[in-house]
Amino acid sequence: MKPSHKTAPGVKIPESIGKPAYRALQAEGFLTLHDVSRVSEAELLELHGVGPKAVNILKAALQQQGLSFTKDDEDYE
């Protein structure tokens, strides 16, 4: 699920999401909250090491920056 973009400038992903989740995101090329905002919660949960706790922390961090996750495809049906 490597992002098809270069890292967007912005706030780095908070390490408080936990080391496994942090490493999983970095391995996929997600380095900033702007990068994370380009995928859905469901896509993140598919990554080994990323669980609901990490997603909730990321959601709060995104909201503080005026960002959000993209919507799941299911929301458009």
Side-chain angles (χ1 to χ4, degrees):
M1 176 190 340
K2 295 253 186 211
S4 60
H5 62 279
K6 295 190 176 200
T7 301
V11 178
K12 291 187 178 194
I13 294 170
E15 292 185 37
S16 62
I17 63 172
K19 289 182 181 182
Y22 190 79
R23 285 192 301 266
L25 292 176
Q26 285 195 324
E28 292 293 327
F30 298 103
L31 304 177
T32 67
L33 290 176
H34 281 87
D35 295 337
V36 173
S37 72
R38 295 183 175 137
V39 295
S40 69
E41 291 179 49
E43 290 174 295
L44 288 181
L45 288 168
E46 291 176 8
L47 297 175
H48 180 74
V50 178
K53 177 184 173 186
V55 170
N56 287 334
I57 293 169
L58 288 168
K59 185 188 293 187
L62 287 169
Q63 288 174 345
Q64 287 178 347
Q65 298 299 315
L67 300 169
S68 63
F69 294 113
T70 61
K71 301 291 181 204
D72 292 329
D73 289 340
E74 298 172 32
D75 292 344
Y76 297 111
E77 292 180 6

